[in-house]
Amino acid sequence: MQSQYAAASTVPLIKSPSLRVPKSVTLPQDIHPLPENVNAYFVYPFTLEPHILQLSQSRRQTINSHAARRQAYLSKRLEDKEQRRKEKEERERKRKMDELRKIAPGFDGSADVMVPVKRVSLIGLPPTTQTSEMEGLVEGLARMSNDSSRPAFSSDIL
């Protein structure tokens, strides 16, 4: 029976001149062999425990302080973002109200429907006398004609 590597046994091997055989290792004379019982080598020095615990506690404190600073930073950013959003909404609301006031002066946004209010002007009328509309017009025309009879510029001023 032939092996699957039978063809490879006829291939010649070439040794590279850059490779060399390492020197054999020689053991020193004063080497200490392992004892039959190695339990003495596994003794743990518990004197290191407080030092290690102090280091882990200070690391834990550092991690906690960093986490608190990070949380404070993130909450501050969230508050700033919320404040900017509210300011933007307020600006937008004021802009819309200004546009509405340009269209309808006196609009305050509290009521759905604006109801007109009748204003009575008593300027030029004596408070005790009741005059008709026609008499008011005649009096107004008379006042205007008296004012137009005066010169616009007086010689006393010049």
PDB file of all heavy atoms in Angstrom, residues 125-151:
ATOM      1  N   LEU A 125     -67.090 119.051  21.647  1.00  0.00           N
ATOM      2  CA  LEU A 125     -68.469 119.242  22.086  1.00  0.00           C
ATOM      3  C   LEU A 125     -68.476 119.598  23.562  1.00  0.00           C
ATOM      4  O   LEU A 125     -67.772 118.986  24.350  1.00  0.00           O
ATOM      5  CB  LEU A 125     -69.291 117.967  21.876  1.00  0.00           C
ATOM      6  CG  LEU A 125     -69.522 117.531  20.443  1.00  0.00           C
ATOM      7  CD1 LEU A 125     -70.277 116.214  20.430  1.00  0.00           C
ATOM      8  CD2 LEU A 125     -70.301 118.577  19.671  1.00  0.00           C
ATOM      9  N   PRO A 126     -69.274 120.612  23.933  1.00  0.00           N
ATOM     10  CA  PRO A 126     -69.379 120.892  25.364  1.00  0.00           C
ATOM     11  C   PRO A 126     -70.067 119.727  26.059  1.00  0.00           C
ATOM     12  O   PRO A 126     -70.977 119.124  25.515  1.00  0.00           O
ATOM     13  CB  PRO A 126     -70.221 122.161  25.440  1.00  0.00           C
ATOM     14  CG  PRO A 126     -70.675 122.454  24.065  1.00  0.00           C
ATOM     15  CD  PRO A 126     -70.006 121.519  23.124  1.00  0.00           C
ATOM     16  N   PRO A 127     -69.655 119.385  27.259  1.00  0.00           N
ATOM     17  CA  PRO A 127     -70.190 118.206  27.915  1.00  0.00           C
ATOM     18  C   PRO A 127     -71.660 118.332  28.288  1.00  0.00           C
ATOM     19  O   PRO A 127     -72.355 117.343  28.397  1.00  0.00           O
ATOM     20  CB  PRO A 127     -69.327 118.058  29.159  1.00  0.00           C
ATOM     21  CG  PRO A 127     -68.650 119.357  29.349  1.00  0.00           C
ATOM     22  CD  PRO A 127     -68.612 120.035  28.028  1.00  0.00           C
ATOM     23  N   THR A 128     -72.181 119.526  28.450  1.00  0.00           N
ATOM     24  CA  THR A 128     -73.558 119.660  28.926  1.00  0.00           C
ATOM     25  C   THR A 128     -74.564 119.833  27.804  1.00  0.00           C
ATOM     26  O   THR A 128     -75.740 119.599  27.986  1.00  0.00           O
ATOM     27  CB  THR A 128     -73.673 120.865  29.869  1.00  0.00           C
ATOM     28  OG1 THR A 128     -73.211 122.026  29.184  1.00  0.00           O
ATOM     29  CG2 THR A 128     -72.865 120.645  31.116  1.00  0.00           C
ATOM     30  N   THR A 129     -74.148 120.299  26.631  1.00  0.00           N
ATOM     31  CA  THR A 129     -75.111 120.565  25.552  1.00  0.00           C
ATOM     32  C   THR A 129     -75.241 119.365  24.650  1.00  0.00           C
ATOM     33  O   THR A 129     -74.257 118.703  24.318  1.00  0.00           O
ATOM     34  CB  THR A 129     -74.665 121.774  24.717  1.00  0.00           C
ATOM     35  OG1 THR A 129     -73.403 121.486  24.154  1.00  0.00           O
ATOM     36  CG2 THR A 129     -74.610 123.024  25.552  1.00  0.00           C
ATOM     37  N   GLN A 130     -76.456 119.106  24.241  1.00  0.00           N
ATOM     38  CA  GLN A 130     -76.747 118.035  23.300  1.00  0.00           C
ATOM     39  C   GLN A 130     -76.976 118.669  21.936  1.00  0.00           C
ATOM     40  O   GLN A 130     -77.905 119.460  21.765  1.00  0.00           O
ATOM     41  CB  GLN A 130     -78.002 117.273  23.732  1.00  0.00           C
ATOM     42  CG  GLN A 130     -77.843 116.516  25.035  1.00  0.00           C
ATOM     43  CD  GLN A 130     -76.988 115.275  24.858  1.00  0.00           C
ATOM     44  OE1 GLN A 130     -76.899 114.748  23.765  1.00  0.00           O
ATOM     45  NE2 GLN A 130     -76.371 114.832  25.921  1.00  0.00           N
ATOM     46  N   THR A 131     -76.135 118.392  20.952  1.00  0.00           N
ATOM     47  CA  THR A 131     -76.313 118.965  19.620  1.00  0.00           C
ATOM     48  C   THR A 131     -76.522 117.867  18.623  1.00  0.00           C
ATOM     49  O   THR A 131     -76.087 116.724  18.811  1.00  0.00           O
ATOM     50  CB  THR A 131     -75.069 119.779  19.215  1.00  0.00           C
ATOM     51  OG1 THR A 131     -73.947 118.930  19.226  1.00  0.00           O
ATOM     52  CG2 THR A 131     -74.854 120.947  20.128  1.00  0.00           C
ATOM     53  N   SER A 132     -77.156 118.196  17.571  1.00  0.00           N
ATOM     54  CA  SER A 132     -77.406 117.212  16.521  1.00  0.00           C
ATOM     55  C   SER A 132     -76.155 117.091  15.659  1.00  0.00           C
ATOM     56  O   SER A 132     -75.230 117.895  15.751  1.00  0.00           O
ATOM     57  CB  SER A 132     -78.619 117.624  15.682  1.00  0.00           C
ATOM     58  OG  SER A 132     -78.290 118.769  14.935  1.00  0.00           O
ATOM     59  N   GLU A 133     -76.164 116.159  14.773  1.00  0.00           N
ATOM     60  CA  GLU A 133     -75.030 115.941  13.891  1.00  0.00           C
ATOM     61  C   GLU A 133     -74.838 117.111  12.946  1.00  0.00           C
ATOM     62  O   GLU A 133     -73.727 117.537  12.692  1.00  0.00           O
ATOM     63  CB  GLU A 133     -75.276 114.667  13.063  1.00  0.00           C
ATOM     64  CG  GLU A 133     -74.377 113.529  13.439  1.00  0.00           C
ATOM     65  CD  GLU A 133     -74.634 112.328  12.557  1.00  0.00           C
ATOM     66  OE1 GLU A 133     -74.303 112.388  11.350  1.00  0.00           O
ATOM     67  OE2 GLU A 133     -75.135 111.334  13.076  1.00  0.00           O
ATOM     68  N   MET A 134     -75.901 117.648  12.471  1.00  0.00           N
ATOM     69  CA  MET A 134     -75.846 118.743  11.526  1.00  0.00           C
ATOM     70  C   MET A 134     -75.236 119.979  12.174  1.00  0.00           C
ATOM     71  O   MET A 134     -74.394 120.644  11.572  1.00  0.00           O
ATOM     72  CB  MET A 134     -77.269 119.036  11.053  1.00  0.00           C
ATOM     73  CG  MET A 134     -77.408 119.556   9.672  1.00  0.00           C
ATOM     74  SD  MET A 134     -76.452 118.597   8.538  1.00  0.00           S
ATOM     75  CE  MET A 134     -76.836 119.563   7.152  1.00  0.00           C
ATOM     76  N   GLU A 135     -75.640 120.274  13.415  1.00  0.00           N
ATOM     77  CA  GLU A 135     -75.104 121.445  14.111  1.00  0.00           C
ATOM     78  C   GLU A 135     -73.605 121.272  14.357  1.00  0.00           C
ATOM     79  O   GLU A 135     -72.832 122.222  14.255  1.00  0.00           O
ATOM     80  CB  GLU A 135     -75.833 121.666  15.436  1.00  0.00           C
ATOM     81  CG  GLU A 135     -77.256 122.153  15.269  1.00  0.00           C
ATOM     82  CD  GLU A 135     -77.996 122.224  16.598  1.00  0.00           C
ATOM     83  OE1 GLU A 135     -77.411 121.805  17.627  1.00  0.00           O
ATOM     84  OE2 GLU A 135     -79.138 122.683  16.597  1.00  0.00           O
ATOM     85  N   GLY A 136     -73.181 120.060  14.665  1.00  0.00           N
ATOM     86  CA  GLY A 136     -71.759 119.772  14.871  1.00  0.00           C
ATOM     87  C   GLY A 136     -70.954 120.024  13.607  1.00  0.00           C
ATOM     88  O   GLY A 136     -69.854 120.568  13.650  1.00  0.00           O
ATOM     89  N   LEU A 137     -71.530 119.638  12.456  1.00  0.00           N
ATOM     90  CA  LEU A 137     -70.836 119.860  11.188  1.00  0.00           C
ATOM     91  C   LEU A 137     -70.727 121.346  10.878  1.00  0.00           C
ATOM     92  O   LEU A 137     -69.686 121.823  10.416  1.00  0.00           O
ATOM     93  CB  LEU A 137     -71.573 119.142  10.050  1.00  0.00           C
ATOM     94  CG  LEU A 137     -71.425 117.626  10.031  1.00  0.00           C
ATOM     95  CD1 LEU A 137     -72.326 117.017   8.959  1.00  0.00           C
ATOM     96  CD2 LEU A 137     -69.989 117.223   9.774  1.00  0.00           C
ATOM     97  N   VAL A 138     -71.799 122.092  11.144  1.00  0.00           N
ATOM     98  CA  VAL A 138     -71.788 123.521  10.876  1.00  0.00           C
ATOM     99  C   VAL A 138     -70.747 124.206  11.753  1.00  0.00           C
ATOM    100  O   VAL A 138     -69.989 125.062  11.278  1.00  0.00           O
ATOM    101  CB  VAL A 138     -73.207 124.123  11.095  1.00  0.00           C
ATOM    102  CG1 VAL A 138     -73.184 125.639  11.064  1.00  0.00           C
ATOM    103  CG2 VAL A 138     -74.174 123.562  10.070  1.00  0.00           C
ATOM    104  N   GLU A 139     -70.702 123.850  13.021  1.00  0.00           N
ATOM    105  CA  GLU A 139     -69.716 124.450  13.931  1.00  0.00           C
ATOM    106  C   GLU A 139     -68.297 124.115  13.489  1.00  0.00           C
ATOM    107  O   GLU A 139     -67.398 124.957  13.516  1.00  0.00           O
ATOM    108  CB  GLU A 139     -69.942 123.967  15.364  1.00  0.00           C
ATOM    109  CG  GLU A 139     -71.157 124.570  16.023  1.00  0.00           C
ATOM    110  CD  GLU A 139     -71.382 124.010  17.418  1.00  0.00           C
ATOM    111  OE1 GLU A 139     -70.511 123.228  17.906  1.00  0.00           O
ATOM    112  OE2 GLU A 139     -72.410 124.342  18.006  1.00  0.00           O
ATOM    113  N   GLY A 140     -68.070 122.897  13.042  1.00  0.00           N
ATOM    114  CA  GLY A 140     -66.746 122.496  12.573  1.00  0.00           C
ATOM    115  C   GLY A 140     -66.322 123.269  11.344  1.00  0.00           C
ATOM    116  O   GLY A 140     -65.170 123.702  11.230  1.00  0.00           O
ATOM    117  N   LEU A 141     -67.273 123.504  10.400  1.00  0.00           N
ATOM    118  CA  LEU A 141     -66.963 124.277   9.203  1.00  0.00           C
ATOM    119  C   LEU A 141     -66.664 125.731   9.556  1.00  0.00           C
ATOM    120  O   LEU A 141     -65.776 126.355   8.971  1.00  0.00           O
ATOM    121  CB  LEU A 141     -68.111 124.203   8.202  1.00  0.00           C
ATOM    122  CG  LEU A 141     -68.253 122.850   7.479  1.00  0.00           C
ATOM    123  CD1 LEU A 141     -69.536 122.814   6.657  1.00  0.00           C
ATOM    124  CD2 LEU A 141     -67.062 122.594   6.599  1.00  0.00           C
ATOM    125  N   ALA A 142     -67.405 126.267  10.516  1.00  0.00           N
ATOM    126  CA  ALA A 142     -67.172 127.651  10.935  1.00  0.00           C
ATOM    127  C   ALA A 142     -65.784 127.794  11.541  1.00  0.00           C
ATOM    128  O   ALA A 142     -65.065 128.762  11.269  1.00  0.00           O
ATOM    129  CB  ALA A 142     -68.251 128.096  11.930  1.00  0.00           C
ATOM    130  N   ARG A 143     -65.385 126.864  12.337  1.00  0.00           N
ATOM    131  CA  ARG A 143     -64.040 126.905  12.939  1.00  0.00           C
ATOM    132  C   ARG A 143     -62.974 126.822  11.859  1.00  0.00           C
ATOM    133  O   ARG A 143     -61.970 127.526  11.910  1.00  0.00           O
ATOM    134  CB  ARG A 143     -63.850 125.769  13.936  1.00  0.00           C
ATOM    135  CG  ARG A 143     -64.219 126.197  15.350  1.00  0.00           C
ATOM    136  CD  ARG A 143     -63.819 125.145  16.373  1.00  0.00           C
ATOM    137  NE  ARG A 143     -65.028 124.318  16.572  1.00  0.00           N
ATOM    138  CZ  ARG A 143     -65.073 123.012  16.578  1.00  0.00           C
ATOM    139  NH1 ARG A 143     -63.980 122.321  16.425  1.00  0.00           N
ATOM    140  NH2 ARG A 143     -66.192 122.375  16.751  1.00  0.00           N
ATOM    141  N   MET A 144     -63.181 125.992  10.882  1.00  0.00           N
ATOM    142  CA  MET A 144     -62.207 125.857   9.802  1.00  0.00           C
ATOM    143  C   MET A 144     -62.102 127.129   8.984  1.00  0.00           C
ATOM    144  O   MET A 144     -61.031 127.545   8.568  1.00  0.00           O
ATOM    145  CB  MET A 144     -62.583 124.679   8.890  1.00  0.00           C
ATOM    146  CG  MET A 144     -62.320 123.337   9.532  1.00  0.00           C
ATOM    147  SD  MET A 144     -62.894 121.948   8.574  1.00  0.00           S
ATOM    148  CE  MET A 144     -62.018 122.130   7.062  1.00  0.00           C
ATOM    149  N   SER A 145     -63.244 127.805   8.745  1.00  0.00           N
ATOM    150  CA  SER A 145     -63.204 129.041   7.967  1.00  0.00           C
ATOM    151  C   SER A 145     -62.524 130.147   8.761  1.00  0.00           C
ATOM    152  O   SER A 145     -61.812 130.972   8.204  1.00  0.00           O
ATOM    153  CB  SER A 145     -64.618 129.463   7.543  1.00  0.00           C
ATOM    154  OG  SER A 145     -65.368 129.792   8.696  1.00  0.00           O
ATOM    155  N   ASN A 146     -62.704 130.178  10.071  1.00  0.00           N
ATOM    156  CA  ASN A 146     -62.016 131.168  10.907  1.00  0.00           C
ATOM    157  C   ASN A 146     -60.501 130.930  10.889  1.00  0.00           C
ATOM    158  O   ASN A 146     -59.718 131.866  10.827  1.00  0.00           O
ATOM    159  CB  ASN A 146     -62.517 131.139  12.344  1.00  0.00           C
ATOM    160  CG  ASN A 146     -63.915 131.721  12.486  1.00  0.00           C
ATOM    161  OD1 ASN A 146     -64.358 132.463  11.621  1.00  0.00           O
ATOM    162  ND2 ASN A 146     -64.585 131.365  13.562  1.00  0.00           N
ATOM    163  N   ASP A 147     -60.113 129.685  10.926  1.00  0.00           N
ATOM    164  CA  ASP A 147     -58.684 129.365  10.901  1.00  0.00           C
ATOM    165  C   ASP A 147     -58.081 129.698   9.550  1.00  0.00           C
ATOM    166  O   ASP A 147     -56.936 130.131   9.456  1.00  0.00           O
ATOM    167  CB  ASP A 147     -58.452 127.876  11.220  1.00  0.00           C
ATOM    168  CG  ASP A 147     -58.768 127.549  12.668  1.00  0.00           C
ATOM    169  OD1 ASP A 147     -58.801 128.483  13.490  1.00  0.00           O
ATOM    170  OD2 ASP A 147     -58.973 126.349  12.972  1.00  0.00           O
ATOM    171  N   SER A 148     -58.815 129.557   8.447  1.00  0.00           N
ATOM    172  CA  SER A 148     -58.267 129.814   7.119  1.00  0.00           C
ATOM    173  C   SER A 148     -58.207 131.304   6.819  1.00  0.00           C
ATOM    174  O   SER A 148     -57.466 131.731   5.949  1.00  0.00           O
ATOM    175  CB  SER A 148     -59.080 129.088   6.057  1.00  0.00           C
ATOM    176  OG  SER A 148     -60.391 129.622   6.014  1.00  0.00           O
ATOM    177  N   SER A 149     -58.974 132.137   7.550  1.00  0.00           N
ATOM    178  CA  SER A 149     -58.921 133.572   7.321  1.00  0.00           C
ATOM    179  C   SER A 149     -57.666 134.193   7.893  1.00  0.00           C
ATOM    180  O   SER A 149     -57.221 135.239   7.462  1.00  0.00           O
ATOM    181  CB  SER A 149     -60.160 134.248   7.913  1.00  0.00           C
ATOM    182  OG  SER A 149     -60.150 134.090   9.318  1.00  0.00           O
ATOM    183  N   ARG A 150     -57.031 133.573   8.829  1.00  0.00           N
ATOM    184  CA  ARG A 150     -55.781 134.050   9.392  1.00  0.00           C
ATOM    185  C   ARG A 150     -54.643 133.724   8.435  1.00  0.00           C
ATOM    186  O   ARG A 150     -54.631 132.674   7.810  1.00  0.00           O
ATOM    187  CB  ARG A 150     -55.475 133.393  10.744  1.00  0.00           C
ATOM    188  CG  ARG A 150     -56.453 133.769  11.808  1.00  0.00           C
ATOM    189  CD  ARG A 150     -56.004 133.132  13.102  1.00  0.00           C
ATOM    190  NE  ARG A 150     -57.073 133.216  14.080  1.00  0.00           N
ATOM    191  CZ  ARG A 150     -57.122 132.502  15.174  1.00  0.00           C
ATOM    192  NH1 ARG A 150     -56.180 131.627  15.418  1.00  0.00           N
ATOM    193  NH2 ARG A 150     -58.094 132.651  16.036  1.00  0.00           N
ATOM    194  N   PRO A 151     -53.633 134.600   8.346  1.00  0.00           N
ATOM    195  CA  PRO A 151     -52.493 134.257   7.489  1.00  0.00           C
ATOM    196  C   PRO A 151     -51.686 133.126   8.116  1.00  0.00           C
ATOM    197  O   PRO A 151     -51.629 132.976   9.332  1.00  0.00           O
ATOM    198  CB  PRO A 151     -51.681 135.540   7.432  1.00  0.00           C
ATOM    199  CG  PRO A 151     -52.118 136.340   8.590  1.00  0.00           C
ATOM    200  CD  PRO A 151     -53.529 135.925   8.920  1.00  0.00           C
TER     201      PRO A 151
END
